[in-house]
């Protein structure tokens, strides 16, 4: 492939320099930005997935490898564009600053997608994290570029931590609907709150009626939303055993039973004292 450019000048230079200096980790070139990017790609996808398409000048193969964990076509094209933007504007600090951050964020997104699909060890997480540019860099070439383009910034590190947190906690973002009840009410009544929130309004209303029925709250009760919370508190404490048709009234009834029981104990004690 001598004389040809693989994808664009930036990626061609990056992979070429990586292959040239990968066996010389003490050289400053091994820690240059473009080589660091390739090392990050290797940490995510494996060296062969990056090196083989380069050697065969197979851009489609390169694209397929980078999308195998769910990285989108649009994100992939943005990554290529940001690399070329950085390459072509080395003397423009403002452009390089933006590209420098954007490239790292896209790499973080690639890594997060991999972690969401396959098992990733703590050692692999630490290895990838060490390739990011942060205030904690001890390698002179990396620390110098960090101070030049993102002095005193923790933006990349924060982005990495937030993406890792999202993957580890498997967040599902759903639209909040005013007609919906609390997730606790759905759960206690045997419904999945996330599934309910994704239903149509009419379906949610139907589920709500079933929830009210479960807690023995009348449909005609104008204050049923407030009654529902009282009923939930009662249910969590006592279960759904003694009922009158209203969770709030049930609580008052239970308290009256307790008071009556205490009164009987007092009366019996008085009778014994007389003897």
């Amino acid at each position: 492939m001598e004389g040809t450019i693989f994808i664009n000048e930036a990626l061609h230079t990056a992979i070429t320099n990586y292959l040239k200096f990968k066996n010389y980790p003490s050289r400053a070139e091994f820690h240059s930005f473009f080589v660091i990017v390739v090392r990050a790609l290797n940490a995510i996808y494996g060296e062969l997935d990056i090196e083989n398409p380069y050697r065969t000048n197979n851009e489609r193969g390169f694209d397929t490898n980078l999308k195998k964990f769910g990285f989108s076509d649009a994100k992939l094209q943005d990554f290529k564009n940001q690399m070329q933007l950085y390459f072509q504007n080395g003397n423009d600090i403002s452009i390089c600053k933006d590209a420098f951050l954007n490239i790292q964020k896209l790499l973080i997104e690639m890594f997060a997608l991999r972690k969401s699909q396959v098992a990733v060890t703590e050692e692999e997480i630490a290895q990838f994290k060490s390739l990011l540019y942060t205030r904690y860099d001890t390698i002179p070439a990396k620390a110098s570029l960090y101070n030049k383009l993102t002095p005193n910034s923790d933006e990349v590190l924060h982005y990495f931590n937030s993406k890792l947190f999202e993957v580890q906690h498997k967040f599902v973002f759903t639209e909040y609907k005013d007609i919906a009840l609390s997730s606790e009410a759905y759960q206690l009544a045997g419904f999945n709150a996330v599934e309910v929130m994704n239903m149509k309004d009419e379906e949610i209303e139907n589920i709500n009626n079933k929830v009210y029925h479960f807690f023995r709250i009348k449909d005609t009760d104008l204050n049923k939303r407030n009654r529902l919370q009282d009923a939930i508190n009662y249910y969590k404490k006592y279960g759904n055993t003694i009922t009158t048709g209203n969770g709030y009234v049930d609580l008052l009834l239970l308290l009256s039973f307790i008071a009556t029981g205490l009164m009987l104990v007092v009366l019996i004690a008085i009778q014994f004292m007389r003897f």
Side-chain angles (χ1 to χ4, degrees):
M1 62 170 291
E2 186 177 352
T4 62
I5 298 296
F6 178 63
I7 301 178
N8 60 33
E9 293 172 296
L11 280 165
H12 182 87
T13 300
I15 301 175
T16 298
N17 286 344
Y18 167 75
L19 294 174
K20 183 178 180 180
F21 296 106
K22 71 175 184 176
N23 295 321
Y24 304 96
S26 61
R27 294 278 296 269
E29 292 90 340
F30 183 71
H31 304 285
S32 62
F33 180 57
F34 281 152
V35 172
I36 290 287
V37 169
V38 176
R39 290 168 59 191
L41 291 175
N42 290 344
I44 300 166
Y45 300 103
E47 186 175 27
L48 293 180
D49 278 1
I50 306 304
E51 184 177 332
N52 284 346
Y54 165 82
R55 291 192 182 280
T56 58
N57 198 23
N58 183 1
E59 181 174 358
R60 179 177 294 182
F62 179 84
D63 292 353
T64 299
N65 292 342
L66 264 63
K67 293 189 296 181
K68 67 181 179 182
F69 298 126
F71 202 57
S72 70
D73 287 314
K75 290 280 189 179
L76 178 55
Q77 188 58 51
D78 188 26
F79 173 70
K80 294 177 182 179
N81 292 343
Q82 292 295 328
M83 287 286 287
Q84 187 65 9
L85 195 65
Y86 187 97
F87 181 84
Q88 292 177 332
N89 296 275
N91 295 323
D92 191 321
I93 296 297
S94 61
I95 293 178
C96 282
K97 280 184 176 180
D98 289 340
F100 182 70
L101 284 173
N102 291 336
I103 290 168
Q104 291 187 83
K105 287 182 177 180
L106 289 167
L107 289 170
I108 289 169
E109 290 174 22
M110 294 178 197
F111 184 79
L113 284 170
R114 181 200 170 192
K115 192 176 187 309
S116 70
Q117 299 294 322
V118 299
V120 175
T121 66
E122 291 298 321
E123 183 181 354
E124 289 173 317
I125 293 173
Q127 178 193 3
F128 177 81
K129 185 178 179 180
S130 71
L131 295 171
L132 300 175
Y133 285 76
T134 72
R135 66 170 70 237
Y136 306 105
D137 277 320
T138 57
I139 298 172
K142 288 189 69 192
S144 176
L145 190 59
Y146 165 84
N147 290 326
K148 178 182 179 181
L149 299 180
T150 52
N152 302 315
S153 171
D154 289 322
E155 186 173 349
V156 168
L157 187 58
H158 288 329
Y159 195 74
F160 173 73
N161 290 334
S162 68
K163 284 297 178 183
L164 218 60
F165 187 86
E166 288 177 20
V167 172
Q168 289 170 338
H169 292 79
K170 295 181 172 59
F171 282 136
V172 177
F173 296 99
T174 56
E175 178 186 0
Y176 174 77
K177 298 187 178 181
D178 290 337
I179 63 172
L181 305 176
S182 68
S183 59
E184 188 176 40
Y186 291 125
Q187 182 180 357
L188 291 175
F191 298 99
N192 185 302
V194 174
E195 292 179 359
V196 173
M197 293 292 281
N198 287 317
M199 293 179 179
K200 296 179 180 179
D201 288 356
E202 312 86 72
E203 295 174 317
I204 294 177
E205 289 285 10
N206 183 43
I207 296 294
N208 288 354
N209 290 335
K210 293 180 180 180
V211 172
Y212 286 129
H213 178 74
F214 174 82
F215 288 103
R216 302 184 186 278
I217 298 173
K218 296 179 179 178
D219 293 337
T220 55
D221 191 334
L222 298 178
N223 200 29
K224 58 186 179 183
R225 277 192 174 253
N226 292 333
R227 301 268 192 226
L228 178 62
Q229 189 54 53
D230 293 328
I232 289 172
N233 294 337
Y234 168 81
Y235 183 92
K236 286 163 57 181
K237 191 171 184 179
Y238 302 106
N240 197 24
T241 52
I242 304 173
T243 60
T244 65
N246 186 295
Y248 178 69
V249 175
D250 287 344
L251 180 59
L252 295 178
L253 179 61
L254 181 63
L255 292 174
S256 69
F257 286 163
I258 294 172
T260 301
L262 290 174
M263 183 62 70
L264 288 174
V265 171
V266 171
L267 290 174
I268 293 172
I270 292 173
Q271 289 296 325
F272 276 107
M273 290 176 65
R274 288 179 178 178
F275 295 102

